[in-house]
Amino acid sequence: MSLQEIFFDNLKFFRKQKKLTQMELTLAIDKGYNYINGVEQGKLFPSVEVIEKLAEVLEISPAALFDENSIAKNIIKLNIVLNRNFSLKAIKLLALKTVKVSHLLLLQLKYFIFCIRNSVFKFFYRLFFPFYHICD
C-alpha cells in the first residue's frame, strides 16, 4: 500500500471517528466544495499546510495521517478479534448458566419425583393399612 493510499484511508477513518461529514471538514479547513471528497477518492493530494489544518481539526498529529498502523482496516481487524473474544466469553458464560439452570432443573425434577414417590407410598400405605395411623 502506497503512502498516499495510507493517507487517504487514515483521513477517511479519522474524519468518521470525529463524526464529521466531508462537507463539514471541507468548511473547517476553508477549502472549496467537495475538496475532501476529491482527496479521499485520490483525485487530489493536499499541501503540507492543508495537512496541518486537517490534523488540527481532527485533533491528531499530522504524522498519524501517514501512520500505517492507524489505518481503519487494522482497527477493524482488532475489533473483530475483540468481538470474537467477547463472543467466546459470552458463549462460555451462557454455557455455565445453562449448566446451572440444567442442574437446578435436575434438582427440581428429583424433588418432584421424591414427592410423587412419597405420595404414592403414602397412598398405598393407607390403602393397605388404613388404621395404622390410629394406633400410633
Side-chain angles (χ1 to χ4, degrees):
M1 181 177 275
S2 73
L3 195 58
Q4 282 186 332
E5 290 171 336
I6 292 169
F7 176 84
F8 301 141
D9 288 344
N10 284 341
L11 178 62
K12 187 173 186 177
F13 172 73
F14 287 119
R15 176 182 60 80
K16 287 184 177 184
Q17 284 287 95
K18 281 291 185 185
K19 297 180 180 159
L20 293 171
T21 64
Q22 290 178 341
M23 179 58 76
E24 290 170 337
L25 186 55
T26 299
L27 293 173
I29 61 169
D30 297 324
K31 286 291 179 181
Y33 182 76
N34 281 343
Y35 179 78
I36 296 298
N37 184 28
V39 171
E40 286 182 358
Q41 290 182 0
K43 296 176 183 174
L44 303 169
F45 195 80
S47 65
V48 174
E49 292 82 17
V50 174
I51 291 172
E52 287 175 347
K53 284 184 186 177
L54 287 169
E56 185 180 320
V57 170
L58 297 172
E59 297 175 348
I60 57 172
S61 70
L65 290 168
F66 295 95
D67 185 8
E68 192 170 17
N69 295 324
S70 297
I71 296 176
K73 293 173 189 170
N74 290 337
I75 293 172
I76 290 170
K77 286 178 189 175
L78 178 62
N79 284 337
I80 289 170
V81 169
L82 292 175
N83 286 337
R84 187 179 316 134
N85 288 341
F86 176 75
S87 297
L88 289 174
K89 287 179 184 176
I91 289 169
K92 286 178 184 175
L93 286 174
L94 183 60
L96 287 174
K97 286 183 179 183
T98 304
V99 168
K100 287 179 183 177
V101 169
S102 299
H103 182 69
L104 289 174
L105 288 175
L106 183 62
L107 289 175
Q108 288 177 344
L109 183 61
K110 284 180 179 179
Y111 180 72
F112 179 71
I113 291 170
F114 174 78
C115 291
I116 290 176
R117 189 182 69 199
N118 283 347
S119 297
V120 169
F121 177 77
K122 286 178 183 177
F123 172 78
F124 283 110
Y125 188 80
R126 288 185 181 148
L127 184 67
F128 291 112
F129 305 102
F131 302 108
Y132 185 76
H133 65 278
I134 295 174
C135 298
D136 288 344

